[in-house]
Amino acid sequence: MSGDPYHPRKFPIGAVIVILVIIGIAAIWGGQIVSSVGTTVTGTLEASGLSSPEISNETLEKGPKTINCPYVLRGKPGSIRFDAYRGVNDYLSTKYPTPFRIERDYWIQFINESVQDRYLKPLAGNIRAAESEPDNQVRTAISMVQQIPYADYSFDTAAKYPYHVLYHQDGDCDEKSLLLAYILRDLGYGVALFEFEQESHMAVGIRAPDQYCYRDTGYAFIETTVPAIPTDAGGEYGDAGKKLTSNPKVFVIAEGDSFESIWREHADAVEWNRIRGMGPKLDSYNYGRYRNLAQTYGMPYGG
């Protein structure tokens, strides 16, 4: 009744050193270099420390394909259409992450890449078209990202952009969290990333009433790797399937609206954990409630 362990990747120190050396050599030889460290006030950063060549729309829009992304909203299944391009995917594959002295700036470069933004922004509009009520748009986005299959990678593999997660329909905890943070920001909500360094895990925080926030972060907890109830941080994630016990680093991605009706999810999470604490054998009433909660949030259940 709990999740599997997940392992986000850190940007490898060796790669940081190599990139810094390359930047230093290029600067000495007069290459055109843009500062790899940004001062962020509004949250906007260039996605790469190096200047990027212009690329035509014709190149970017090669290999079109339609992806239908499934979600579950209060037990009702649906899907969100996303028109993707192999050209955009290939272009972003050449955008290597830039090291920053401020860790938030490292993560936010994956969200603020300009070409990605041009082709990923319609996703929020498609979610609005599918669900008219704003808080249900949040629920749709959460479930849609949770339903994308989890993929594990070696420690020294650089994170993929949110566009890649949609295009390939897989991602690990940091990649899926970056995608959800991007969507929630575009839907107008306050959003942050939670980095649990001790457990090697990343999740998303959404602005919410204080009583539903995770510890003293000011944001409610959302797991992205698997279908799970928002506010429920009681699963086993991170290194070797540990529960999340450490205080996370909080990287604010955007200011915005509060998810006011998250009290529904919180009440369900409390009941879910109560039932989970009863052990593997449940009476008919509690098993029925367990099954109904699993179906409500698109979570797998046995029997």
Side-chain angles (χ1 to χ4, degrees):
M1 296 170 62
S2 60
D4 295 324
Y6 302 103
H7 308 271
R9 300 162 328 286
K10 304 294 181 186
F11 193 84
I13 297 300
V16 173
I17 294 171
V18 169
I19 290 175
L20 290 177
V21 168
I22 292 172
I23 291 173
I25 292 171
I28 291 171
W29 288 98
Q32 186 177 3
I33 302 295
V34 180
S35 173
S36 64
V37 179
T39 302
T40 305
V41 177
T42 62
T44 301
L45 286 175
E46 291 297 325
S48 173
L50 302 178
S51 59
S52 301
E54 291 295 325
I55 185 167
S56 69
N57 289 346
E58 182 181 4
T59 299
L60 289 169
E61 294 172 10
K62 286 181 178 178
K65 69 174 181 176
T66 297
I67 300 171
N68 292 307
C69 304
Y71 69 92
V72 178
L73 176 61
R74 308 302 295 175
K76 179 182 176 182
S79 67
I80 300 298
R81 175 184 171 128
F82 179 64
D83 294 321
Y85 299 95
R86 186 186 69 248
V88 176
N89 176 77
D90 292 347
Y91 168 77
L92 291 171
S93 297
T94 69
K95 300 285 287 185
Y96 298 105
T98 297
F100 289 96
R101 289 198 295 264
I102 300 172
E103 192 173 355
R104 172 186 177 272
D105 293 349
Y106 172 74
W107 293 113
I108 205 169
Q109 71 182 306
F110 292 94
I111 294 176
N112 285 349
E113 207 287 323
S114 59
V115 170
Q116 170 181 254
D117 191 54
R118 189 192 322 165
Y119 290 94
L120 195 53
K121 191 168 285 293
L123 185 62
N126 293 347
I127 292 172
R128 291 189 181 97
E131 301 293 341
S132 60
E133 202 277 313
D135 280 4
N136 280 344
Q137 294 166 7
V138 172
R139 295 181 174 104
T140 296
I142 292 169
S143 178
M144 187 191 77
V145 173
Q146 289 177 341
Q147 293 288 337
I148 295 173
Y150 171 80
D152 199 4
Y153 302 101
S154 63
F155 180 82
D156 59 352
T157 305
K160 299 196 300 284
Y161 285 89
Y163 191 94
H164 286 134
V165 177
L166 276 173
Y167 187 86
H168 295 286
Q169 285 293 289
D170 66 26
D172 69 0
C173 62
D174 51 312
E175 294 166 347
K176 293 181 71 177
S177 294
L178 287 164
L179 173 59
L180 182 58
Y182 178 99
I183 299 170
L184 294 178
R185 182 193 65 176
D186 273 16
L187 289 172
Y189 285 80
V191 62
L193 295 170
F194 290 157
E195 183 184 7
F196 296 87
E197 199 166 35
Q198 181 176 311
E199 294 86 1
S200 298
H201 191 60
M202 182 171 280
V204 169
I206 188 169
R207 187 182 168 201
D210 288 343
Q211 63 267 41
Y212 308 122
C213 290
Y214 185 72
R215 301 189 178 180
D216 59 351
T217 62
Y219 296 87
F221 177 94
I222 301 172
E223 179 59 33
T224 62
T225 52
V226 293
I229 304 174
T231 74
D232 181 15
E236 295 179 354
Y237 309 110
D239 188 18
K242 297 177 181 176
K243 288 187 177 293
L244 302 176
T245 59
S246 66
N247 289 319
K249 295 179 181 179
V250 180
F251 305 124
V252 177
I253 300 302
E255 303 294 338
D257 295 336
S258 173
F259 186 9
E260 290 295 310
S261 64
I262 200 172
W263 61 266
R264 296 178 180 177
E265 280 74 12
H266 182 262
D268 287 344
V270 169
E271 184 175 16
W272 178 256
N273 281 300
R274 177 188 67 80
I275 296 171
R276 248 191 332 195
M278 296 175 69
K281 294 184 178 181
L282 300 173
D283 58 39
S284 59
Y285 170 78
N286 283 295
Y287 178 74
R289 289 298 301 145
Y290 161 65
R291 181 186 61 193
N292 289 343
L293 286 168
Q295 291 173 339
T296 296
Y297 293 94
M299 298 184 291
Y301 64 94

